[in-house]
Amino acid sequence: YRGRARSVRMTPVDIAGFFHVDLSDTTSADNEGTLIVDADGRRWRRVTDGQYLPSWWQIKGDGVPDDTAKLEKMLDALPAGATVNLGTGKSYLLKKTIVFTKPINLRGGSKENTFLLFAPDGVYLANPFKYGIIFPHVTTNVPGYPGDARRSSMSGFSLRMFGTGPTGVKAMLAAAPIYGSEVDALGWPSDAFCVRASGDGVNGNANGSYFQKFTAYQN
């Protein structure tokens, strides 16, 4: 390769796609999706257009296995401002609170056929952060999750509690300005969409948030 990056086609199914080898990098860790370290220690970087697929992290989205760990690994690997294409006809089973620590754009097919399914036996954060998903402001201070999700966006999926969930768990907390359209919340034991600038133990600033065609029912 003579010190240059070279585009190649990777053939194994689990890392299918276009990659280039970065010979200047000898330290970055394998993230199993966009950066692969081969047996010789070379770093292969996935060629992307700013859109990322859960399947790159071997997340099937068929509603059967617990996708939590792999989805968190994917979110950790994404750059701020990345767009995640959740796909059409996909159901992602999650068993804990998902905290977005950077701005991310979530795109599903539609709220009728793309689901984030939260398990009733999941381990959710304690109050005041007992939610399915959280978009924190830099001042929110979610325990164990420092970060800033300002300017995240979402569209085309449903947040569903898959069964009788723990008492008091809510669907979504926006403590930072986020934008969204065509999102449902269904079956939660408590509230659906919560926007909090301050109060009830939550700090933040959600000025400028925008929600269109959000639907909350059977919560």
Side-chain angles (χ1 to χ4, degrees):
Y1 302 116
R2 301 189 182 280
R4 290 199 203 166
R6 179 184 177 187
S7 294
V8 298
R9 185 78 178 180
M10 305 292 279
T11 53
V13 173
D14 60 342
I15 54 171
F18 285 101
F19 289 73
H20 68 84
V21 64
D22 184 355
L23 298 180
S24 67
D25 185 357
T26 59
T27 59
S28 294
D30 191 321
N31 67 26
E32 302 180 14
T34 55
L35 193 152
I36 306 298
V37 181
D38 68 19
D40 295 320
R42 293 172 298 194
R43 270 66 182 171
W44 296 86
R45 296 186 180 276
R46 186 183 292 273
V47 178
T48 75
D49 59 359
Q51 183 168 247
Y52 298 78
L53 304 180
S55 60
W56 294 349
W57 282 266
Q58 297 82 54
I59 304 173
K60 292 183 178 180
D62 59 8
V64 178
D66 179 2
D67 292 322
T68 310
K70 289 182 178 179
L71 187 135
E72 286 193 317
K73 183 178 286 291
M74 177 189 74
L75 293 177
D76 287 343
L78 297 179
T83 296
V84 177
N85 185 346
L86 295 172
T88 299
K90 295 292 186 178
S91 296
Y92 301 92
L93 181 61
L94 305 171
K95 292 193 172 185
K96 64 181 293 190
T97 302
I98 302 298
V99 183
F100 292 83
T101 58
K102 66 191 79 167
I104 297 294
N105 305 302
L106 295 177
R107 300 286 181 266
S110 77
K111 60 184 182 180
E112 291 83 14
N113 61 35
T114 304
F115 301 95
L116 299 185
L117 298 176
F118 289 82
D121 61 346
V123 179
Y124 300 97
L125 293 178
N127 284 324
F129 299 110
K130 197 173 184 179
Y131 290 85
I133 63 175
I134 297 176
F135 295 92
H137 188 272
V138 67
T139 63
T140 305
N141 297 322
V142 182
Y145 295 93
D148 184 358
R150 284 179 289 179
R151 313 306 173 193
S152 292
S153 68
M154 64 188 78
S155 65
F157 61 91
S158 289
L159 300 166
R160 178 170 291 185
M161 175 57 70
F162 195 54
T164 303
T167 300
V169 65
K170 305 174 180 68
M172 185 195 82
L173 169 64
I178 65 171
Y179 320 112
S181 64
E182 299 283 350
V183 178
D184 279 359
L186 170 66
W188 292 84
S190 187
D191 298 330
F193 305 109
C194 301
V195 182
R196 297 194 188 279
S198 63
D200 292 336
V202 176
N203 294 320
N205 185 337
N207 286 343
S209 291
Y210 176 82
F211 305 96
Q212 181 184 39
K213 297 183 180 179
F214 273 42
T215 306
Y217 58 103
Q218 295 180 8
N219 301 298

